[in-house]
Amino acid sequence: MVRLGGWIHRRRDLGGIVFLDLRDRDGLVQLSCDPKWTPPDVLILAASLGAETVVLIEGVVVERLEASRDTTMISRDVEVQVRALRVVGPAVTPAIPVGRREGEDLAAEELRLQHRVLDLRRPELQANIIMRHRLLQQARRTLSDLGFLEIETPILTKPTPEGARDYLVPSRVHPGQWYALPQSPQIFKQILMVAGMDRYFQIVKCFRDEDLRADRQPEFTQIDIEMSFATREVVMELATNLARTLWKEILGVEVGEIPILSYDTCIRLYGIDAPDRRFGMELAEVTAALAGTEFTVIRSQLDAGGIAKAFVVDGG
C-alpha cells in the first residue's frame, strides 16, 4: 500500500472505470479506479474531479500491461489501483492550462504572469528550477573541492561607486540615513582578501537600479569567485574548468577545450568582445573592394579613414 499526494493532471472516464494522472514535481503516475478494487463512493468522487484538484490517495502499485504503457511517463511501467481518495484542495477550472497536449499553444505571457502559481506548475518551468538547483549544488561542490570557502556577506551596506544606481533602503533606527543594496559585494571582497580569506566564493544576489536590457534585470544572481595572489592564467583555468564541469554534470555535454581569444581578435572577427561563435559569420575586411564606391554611407566612412567589413550569410 502506498500513499501519494499531488495534483490531478488529467481525468479519463471510460464508463465505470476512471483513470487519473496524478502530478507532482517528479512527474506523472496513473491512478486506476475500477469497481473491482475501488469502493463505490471513491469511484464516484474520482469521476467528479477536475484538473488541478489536490488529492491524497492510498492504493496498491501494480505492473501495467505492456500494451497500455505510456512512454511519456517516468512511471510508465506501473500504475496505482486506488483504494481511498481524499480531496485536499478543490479546484475551479484553471485560468490557464497546466497540462498542455501536444500541439497546443501556450497562453499569452501576460496571462501566465498574472497566474504565475499555475504557470510554475508546468513541467517545463519546474524542470528549469530543478536544473538551476543542480547547477548551483554542482558549482558549490566543484569550488569547495578546489579549496574555496563559501562566505555570505551583508545585503544592507553602504554605496559603492559602480556603473548603475543603487537601490536605497531607509533606516528606521538612524532617521535620515539609508542603506544601499549591493550591486555586487565589492567592499567585502577587499576586507576578506586582506583578512586572509584567500579563496572564497558566493552565489549572491546583486541589485542594480538601471533600465532593463536583454541580459540584465533589476536583481540577478551571480557566482562571485575571489582569489588572492592569482594570475590571469589561474583565473581563466578555474573559469573554464568550472564551465566544463557544469555542462558535463548537469547537461551531459562534453564541452572540450575552450578557446581563448584576445580582445583584438574578437573585435576584428566579430565586432564585439563577447561573440556568439555558434553562427560563424566572421567579419572580413572589404575596404579595398569598395574603394571606388559612391554609396554615401560607406564612402563617408572610408573618407574619414574608416574600414569596411562584411560577413557571409549561407544561402543569403
Side-chain angles (χ1 to χ4, degrees):
M1 186 75 75
V2 296
R3 182 173 181 268
L4 302 177
W7 288 259
I8 297 299
H9 191 68
R10 194 170 293 123
R11 186 191 78 230
R12 301 183 301 283
D13 194 334
L14 304 183
I17 301 176
V18 178
F19 292 102
L20 304 170
D21 291 342
L22 187 70
R23 187 189 74 245
D24 67 6
R25 77 176 195 194
D26 292 315
L28 301 173
V29 64
Q30 178 171 284
L31 309 179
S32 174
C33 303
D34 189 301
K36 296 176 184 175
W37 52 74
T38 305
D41 58 328
V42 173
L43 194 58
I44 293 171
L45 179 58
S48 69
L49 297 178
E52 300 309 303
T53 300
V54 182
V55 299
L56 284 172
I57 69 101
E58 293 182 6
V60 177
V61 179
V62 298
E63 190 173 5
R64 293 175 68 170
L65 297 175
E66 186 74 33
S68 66
R69 293 180 181 178
D70 186 345
T71 56
T72 63
M73 286 187 176
I74 296 176
S75 61
R76 57 183 170 271
D77 296 331
V78 298
E79 67 178 15
V80 178
Q81 295 179 346
V82 176
R83 302 294 199 270
L85 185 153
R86 179 164 68 92
V87 174
V88 177
V92 297
T93 301
I96 59 174
V98 175
R100 285 189 305 137
R101 291 179 170 81
E102 188 174 350
E104 287 183 344
D105 293 331
L106 278 173
E109 184 176 28
E110 293 82 1
L111 187 60
R112 286 188 283 119
L113 289 173
Q114 185 179 351
H115 300 279
R116 189 64 166 163
V117 68
L118 294 175
D119 198 36
L120 287 174
R121 295 180 189 176
R122 288 195 294 117
E124 302 95 322
L125 293 189
Q126 296 208 341
N128 290 344
I129 292 173
I130 292 168
M131 183 176 70
R132 178 186 169 92
H133 159 77
R134 293 178 58 218
L135 184 148
L136 296 181
Q137 294 302 309
Q138 183 61 51
R140 286 187 166 98
R141 283 192 294 269
T142 300
L143 292 170
S144 295
D145 290 345
L146 291 172
F148 286 81
L149 301 176
E150 182 174 7
I151 301 178
E152 186 178 51
T153 55
I155 291 296
L156 295 176
T157 181
K158 64 181 292 185
T160 56
E162 295 193 51
R165 291 179 294 272
D166 294 306
Y167 283 108
L168 300 178
V169 180
S171 170
R172 179 186 58 82
V173 295
H174 300 289
Q177 298 188 49
W178 305 71
Y179 294 104
L181 300 182
Q183 296 185 36
S184 62
Q186 296 292 336
I187 191 169
F188 305 109
K189 181 188 305 181
Q190 284 92 24
I191 291 173
L192 287 164
M193 293 284 106
V194 175
M197 298 293 104
D198 59 330
R199 283 192 164 205
Y200 83 92
F201 74 96
Q202 294 179 285
I203 298 174
V204 62
K205 279 283 189 185
C206 301
F207 305 88
R208 297 184 181 179
D209 185 5
E210 60 185 358
D211 295 334
L212 291 174
R213 305 176 193 169
D215 59 351
R216 185 62 57 82
Q217 58 190 27
E219 63 173 87
F220 59 93
T221 304
Q222 70 182 31
I223 301 177
D224 192 49
I225 301 172
E226 307 299 344
M227 288 185 284
S228 297
F229 315 112
T231 63
R232 182 181 70 169
E233 289 71 26
V234 167
V235 173
M236 293 170 73
E237 181 182 7
L238 172 68
T240 54
N241 286 341
L242 179 60
R244 277 199 296 263
T245 299
L246 293 178
W247 279 81
K248 179 180 178 181
E249 297 299 326
I250 306 305
L251 298 177
V253 175
E254 290 281 1
V255 172
E257 193 64 28
I258 298 177
I260 297 174
L261 303 179
S262 69
Y263 174 84
D264 289 341
T265 299
C266 288
I267 296 300
R268 176 171 54 83
L269 294 180
Y270 303 102
I272 189 173
D273 63 352
D276 188 334
R277 302 177 70 236
R278 293 174 297 176
F279 305 108
M281 300 170 67
E282 295 180 359
L283 297 173
E285 187 169 338
V286 292
T287 305
L290 295 175
T293 184
E294 296 302 325
F295 182 49
T296 305
V297 175
I298 297 177
R299 181 77 267 154
S300 63
Q301 294 299 317
L302 295 183
D303 291 344
I307 61 175
K309 291 193 172 188
F311 57 81
V312 176
V313 179
D314 289 339

